[in-house]
Amino acid sequence: MIEEIDDTELYEHLRMEVDAGQEPVRIDKYMSEHVQHSSRNRIQKAADAGFIHVNDKPVKSNYKVRPGDVITLMLDRPHYDTTIEPEDIPLDVVYEDDQLMVVNKPAGLVVHPGVGNFHGTLVNAIAWHLRELPSYDPNDPSVGLVHRIDKDTSGLLVVAKTPEAKTELGAQFFNHDTHRSYQALVWGNIVEDNGRIEGNIGRDPKDRQRMAVFPPGSEIGKSAVTHYRVLERFGYTTLVECRLETGRTHQIRAHMKHIGHPLFADERYGGMEILRGERTASYKAYIQNCFKLCGRQALHARTLGFVHPVTHEQMDFTSELASDMAQLIDKWRNYTRSADITTNRNIDITT
C-alpha cells in the first residue's frame, strides 16, 4: 500500500519516458535496469513511499510499464545543487604555471563531488586555490582535472587551467603518451621479477561498486594493460611498481587481484583479510596493527610525466610515498628481518 504524502511537497529528481515497443514489465525491474547506481530493492522502497510516479500519479512497485509512460522520481527534498564552490582545503601544489598545475593528493580526499561527497573534495580545493583567476570556472568541464585517482589512493594529478591545455593533455592521456607509475604493496610473494597483465575491465555483475577482469578482446569491459616490476620482497607481501598502458577505473586494484595478489588493506578487493603468512596469534596481531597503520589500499601514484601543452617540454614529477604507506613498508622491512622471513623469489608462502 502506498503511504499518504499529500501534505509533503515533492521535488522531481528523475524523468524518463518508456520506449516505444517496450514489453510490459514491472516498474521496479525496469528502473533498476535503466537507472544508474540504483537497486531494485531501493526502487521498491521508493515506490512504497509514494515517490515513484507514472504519468503524474504514484504507483506501486508491481506496476507494469507501457510504451510512452512518463516515469518520474519525486522526493521530499530538493534536488541537490551540484555547483562546485571554492572551499579552503589544504592543497599540496607540486608545480604551477599559467597553463596547468600538478598536485599531490592525500589518501582519503575524494577527487570530485558525487553521491555522498558533495563538499570537501579536491575539486573544491582547486577552485579555492584558483579563485582569483578570472578565466578559471570550476563548473566549466573544459578546464580542471585531466584524470582521476581513487579516494583512498594518494599521489600525483594534473590540472588544466585553460581549455587548450585540457584538450592537449587529454589527448596525451587518451593516446597513452603520458608516463605514470604507481607503487603498491600487494599480498603474496610474486614469483616473477616483472610481468604484464592484460584483461578487459568492467563492472563486476555481482558488485557494481567493484570492477572485474574479463578476457582480452571480449565484448565485456574495456581493454586494459598493466606492467609491474618487483621492487622489494617481504615474503608474505611484495612492493611493486605498476605502470599503466591504459587508465581504467580501479585498474591496478582489479588486475592485481586477478593474478592472485590483491593490494594490501584493499577492503573492496579482499585485501583486508590475512591472505598470506602464519596462523599464530602474534602474526595475526601484527597484521591487524598494519591495517590500523594504513587502513586503505596501499597504492600511491608516484610518478607523472607528460609534454607541456604550450612549451612542448617533457615534464616529469615524482612524489614521496604518503606517510602511512611509508610507515607500513618500514614495518614490513623490520618484520621480515626480525622474523627471518624468506624473500626468495622462487618461494610463495601461503596459508
Side-chain angles (χ1 to χ4, degrees), residues 52-112:
I52 303 294
H53 290 204
V54 174
N55 304 326
D56 298 325
K57 293 181 180 180
V59 298
K60 296 180 180 180
S61 57
N62 64 354
Y63 172 88
K64 291 190 175 181
V65 301
R66 300 174 178 83
D69 276 350
V70 176
I71 302 171
T72 52
L73 173 63
M74 307 295 294
L75 299 181
D76 55 356
R77 57 186 182 276
H79 196 284
Y80 201 94
D81 184 2
T82 57
T83 301
I84 298 169
E85 299 291 345
E87 294 180 35
D88 189 3
I89 301 169
L91 192 63
D92 182 6
V93 179
V94 177
Y95 172 85
E96 184 173 10
D97 62 25
D98 61 349
Q99 296 293 316
L100 59 89
M101 66 180 186
V102 175
V103 298
N104 189 27
K105 186 189 84 68
L109 182 63
V110 176
V111 169
H112 197 277

Side-chain angles (χ1 to χ4, degrees), residues 107-108 152 154 185 234 264-266 272 284-299 321-335:
D152 289 326
S154 54
L185 184 70
F234 306 119
F264 190 86
D266 189 347
M272 195 60 96
K284 292 178 180 178
Y286 164 75
I287 295 298
Q288 292 304 319
N289 287 332
C290 287
F291 288 154
K292 290 177 183 178
L293 182 62
C294 183
R296 51 98 178 185
Q297 67 258 16
L299 182 63
L321 286 176
S323 61
D324 61 345
M325 191 168 162
Q327 292 176 57
L328 174 66
I329 292 168
D330 282 340
K331 193 173 182 68
W332 271 103
R333 287 192 186 109
N334 294 333
Y335 179 82

Side-chain angles (χ1 to χ4, degrees), residues 170-333:
Q172 292 184 44
F173 276 87
F174 181 80
N175 295 322
H176 315 310
D177 293 330
T178 58
H179 305 286
R180 286 182 289 167
S181 74
Y182 293 70
Q183 284 193 5
L185 184 70
V186 303
W187 276 107
N189 193 4
I190 298 180
V191 176
E192 304 84 4
D193 287 333
N194 51 69
R196 180 179 186 272
I197 310 169
E198 182 175 4
N200 286 15
I201 291 181
R203 292 287 173 187
D204 188 332
K206 297 179 180 179
D207 182 350
R208 301 295 293 174
Q209 294 183 315
R210 186 172 62 190
M211 308 304 286
V213 180
F214 302 92
S218 70
E219 296 181 357
I220 306 175
K222 296 181 179 179
S223 62
V225 177
T226 302
H227 300 269
Y228 67 84
R229 178 172 66 92
V230 171
L231 299 177
E232 199 167 350
R233 300 176 185 277
F234 306 119
Y236 304 141
T237 59
T238 306
L239 180 64
V240 296
E241 176 190 73
C242 295
R243 291 187 176 273
L244 301 181
E245 233 180 76
T246 53
R248 309 304 183 196
T249 301
H250 295 187
Q251 178 170 324
I252 293 173
R253 300 166 68 186
H255 267 173
M256 296 310 294
K257 177 180 174 59
H258 180 65
I259 65 169
H261 297 283
L263 269 61
F264 190 86
D266 189 347
E267 185 171 13
R268 190 169 300 284
Y269 289 87
M272 195 60 96
E273 303 290 335
I274 301 178
L275 301 180
R276 299 287 192 278
E278 305 165 10
R279 300 181 184 274
T280 63
S282 61
Y283 179 75
K284 292 178 180 178
Y286 164 75
I287 295 298
Q288 292 304 319
N289 287 332
C290 287
F291 288 154
K292 290 177 183 178
L293 182 62
C294 183
R296 51 98 178 185
Q297 67 258 16
L299 182 63
H300 178 75
R302 182 163 170 78
T303 70
L304 175 63
F306 53 85
V307 174
H308 194 282
V310 173
T311 67
H312 305 298
E313 295 179 50
Q314 177 64 38
M315 310 285 286
D316 293 294
F317 303 92
T318 301
S319 64
E320 295 299 320
L321 286 176
S323 61
D324 61 345
M325 191 168 162
Q327 292 176 57
L328 174 66
I329 292 168
D330 282 340
K331 193 173 182 68
W332 271 103
R333 287 192 186 109

Side-chain angles (χ1 to χ4, degrees), residues 153-166:
T153 298
S154 54
L156 297 171
L157 288 163
V158 60
V159 181
K161 291 185 177 181
T162 68
E164 294 76 18
K166 188 165 185 179

Side-chain angles (χ1 to χ4, degrees), residues 18-27 29-30 33-34 63-69:
V18 179
D19 295 335
Q22 171 66 48
E23 296 181 359
V25 62
R26 284 176 57 115
I27 194 168
K29 183 176 188 296
Y30 181 84
E33 294 175 348
H34 289 79
Y63 172 88
K64 291 190 175 181
V65 301
R66 300 174 178 83
D69 276 350

